[in-house]
Amino acid sequence: MNKALDKFSIPDTKPLQFVSDGVEREFDIDDPKLPRWIKNRVLTAGGYPHKQKLKREKYDEQLEALQIELVKLQSWLQATGSRVMALFEGRDAAGKGGAIHRIRQNMNPRLARNVALPKPTETERGQWYYQRYIAHFPTAGEFVTFDRSWYNRGTVEPVMGFCTPAEHALFLEETPNFEHAIVKDGTHFFKFWLNIGRETQLKRFHDRRHSPLKCWKFSPMDVKGMEKWDDYTRMRDLMIERTHSDHAPWTIVLANDKRRARLAVMRRILLSLPYAGRDEDAIGEEDSKVIGSGLDFLR
């Protein structure tokens, strides 16, 4: 293992057993050599519909066009006092931070904020569960993204034992009403679930584990999470089923190819808002193989 990783105090892990293509495989994330069975399925894992990544030249061209539209959108928000809030959820290494970065890259940072909260303090644990998130909601003219949100209680907390079954059940019951209030108050509200295949996640974890530049992204929680893929899947499906609604639908983005995923998210936001000067030709059409709505799209 790279010596640069020692300071992060992540203990060596035991090789884990996985089933890939119907065959039981062993994966040792501490081995710097990535197994061929993972390499062969990085893009196609989980039934991803495209056989090749979007070419860099095409991606760069479309990205610039969409970022220009996002600048127009921000001007419209300032002129009208409208508010946008977008939540980004997904398994670890799904590409949430990268998508958020590209969305905000050329927007005015004073009015385009990202929220990535640490674990709650003692005071926050004693408050109404949603309270610490509300403090970061957008005001007039703002575009706010959340890199994880109150939906921690929908997946991470119940899987890792950080909340009780009663707290989890109450969250699933209360959240649709909570989000109805957000939308009714006039906020343009988006919920994105970035979905990746298992081999895709293993490859991204392996990259982090052995990169001197990205090793800080890999944590003991990731090690535990690798073993709980099926538990996360069950909680994800239950969460989406119970909190997908007409007023606050879940937008599912298949994200094995980060480039396509980022463009899909931007297009969905831009096509959903009536901002001045919207150029639909520049935005382009959605890729229905990559983006959809609700649990049916995942299945």
Side-chain angles (χ1 to χ4, degrees):
M1 185 174 66
N2 193 311
K3 292 182 180 180
L5 305 179
D6 291 346
K7 62 183 178 180
F8 291 91
S9 302
I10 300 173
D12 289 346
T13 61
K14 295 180 180 180
L16 301 175
Q17 302 298 319
F18 298 96
V19 176
S20 177
D21 275 342
V23 178
E24 188 168 317
R25 314 275 191 178
E26 184 175 272
F27 175 59
D28 183 0
I29 198 167
D30 293 320
D31 185 343
K33 185 177 180 180
L34 185 70
R36 183 170 295 278
W37 62 269
I38 292 180
K39 287 182 180 179
N40 291 341
R41 286 181 54 81
V42 168
L43 185 63
T44 59
Y48 189 75
H50 292 286
K51 303 303 181 185
Q52 294 182 332
K53 291 174 62 176
L54 185 66
K55 291 183 178 180
R56 166 62 71 175
E57 296 80 6
K58 189 172 183 179
Y59 167 70
D60 287 343
E61 180 183 352
Q62 294 180 22
L63 178 65
E64 181 177 9
L66 294 174
Q67 288 178 332
I68 289 171
E69 292 300 304
L70 285 166
V71 172
K72 293 181 188 178
L73 169 61
Q74 190 173 38
S75 296
W76 174 76
L77 292 177
Q78 292 176 255
T80 62
S82 298
R83 307 185 296 261
V84 171
M85 182 162 58
L87 313 186
F88 287 79
E89 297 289 343
R91 299 180 192 268
D92 293 320
K96 300 179 290 295
I100 291 169
H101 172 70
R102 270 59 177 199
I103 290 170
R104 299 174 58 248
Q105 191 170 12
N106 292 290
M107 299 175 80
N108 182 345
R110 295 180 180 177
L111 295 167
R113 295 185 287 112
N114 185 51
V115 181
L117 299 183
K119 65 181 182 180
T121 64
E122 285 295 327
T123 298
E124 289 170 337
R125 278 195 286 269
Q127 296 173 341
W128 181 42
Y129 176 70
Y130 304 95
Q131 189 168 337
R132 75 187 192 119
Y133 297 101
I134 293 172
H136 299 276
F137 278 17
T139 188
E142 279 196 317
F143 186 108
V144 174
T145 52
F146 277 79
D147 188 344
R148 294 199 181 278
S149 66
W150 48 91
Y151 279 103
N152 279 330
R153 184 147 290 180
T155 52
V156 176
E157 291 189 17
V159 168
M160 293 297 181
F162 297 155
C163 70
T164 67
E167 288 171 331
H168 178 231
L170 183 62
F171 169 81
L172 295 176
E173 179 183 343
E174 287 192 333
T175 295
N177 291 330
F178 172 65
E179 292 174 351
H180 187 261
I182 293 171
V183 175
K184 192 174 181 179
D185 192 53
T187 297
H188 298 283
F189 184 51
F190 298 89
K191 300 190 303 191
F192 293 103
W193 177 271
L194 304 189
N195 202 69
I196 56 173
R198 193 168 201 178
E199 289 87 350
T200 312
Q201 186 188 56
L202 294 178
K203 165 65 163 58
R204 294 179 185 178
F205 278 164
H206 188 269
D207 289 347
R208 293 177 178 184
R209 179 68 156 158
H210 297 280
S211 168
L213 295 176
K214 296 181 180 180
C215 54
W216 60 271
K217 292 185 175 183
F218 190 74
S219 71
M221 281 283 289
D222 294 328
V223 176
K224 294 178 182 179
M226 284 192 297
E227 301 175 339
K228 296 180 178 292
W229 178 272
D230 292 337
D231 294 333
Y232 270 106
T233 298
R234 285 191 290 270
M235 288 301 173
R236 175 203 67 188
D237 291 354
L238 177 61
M239 177 191 76
I240 292 174
E241 180 181 25
R242 293 286 302 276
T243 61
H244 179 72
S245 63
D246 291 338
H247 57 267
W250 274 106
T251 298
I252 311 299
V253 181
L254 305 186
N256 285 7
D257 181 356
K258 292 181 180 180
R259 295 171 184 171
R260 284 190 172 92
R262 293 165 183 168
L263 299 178
V265 168
M266 293 180 186
R267 285 195 177 98
R268 175 55 58 94
I269 292 172
L270 292 167
L271 291 172
S272 300
L273 299 173
Y275 63 94
R278 185 172 72 178
D279 185 343
E280 294 192 10
D281 289 335
I283 297 171
E285 295 183 358
E286 291 190 325
D287 182 350
S288 60
K289 294 181 179 179
V290 167
I291 188 168
S293 183
L295 196 55
D296 288 343
F297 185 73
L298 271 176
R299 290 172 174 166

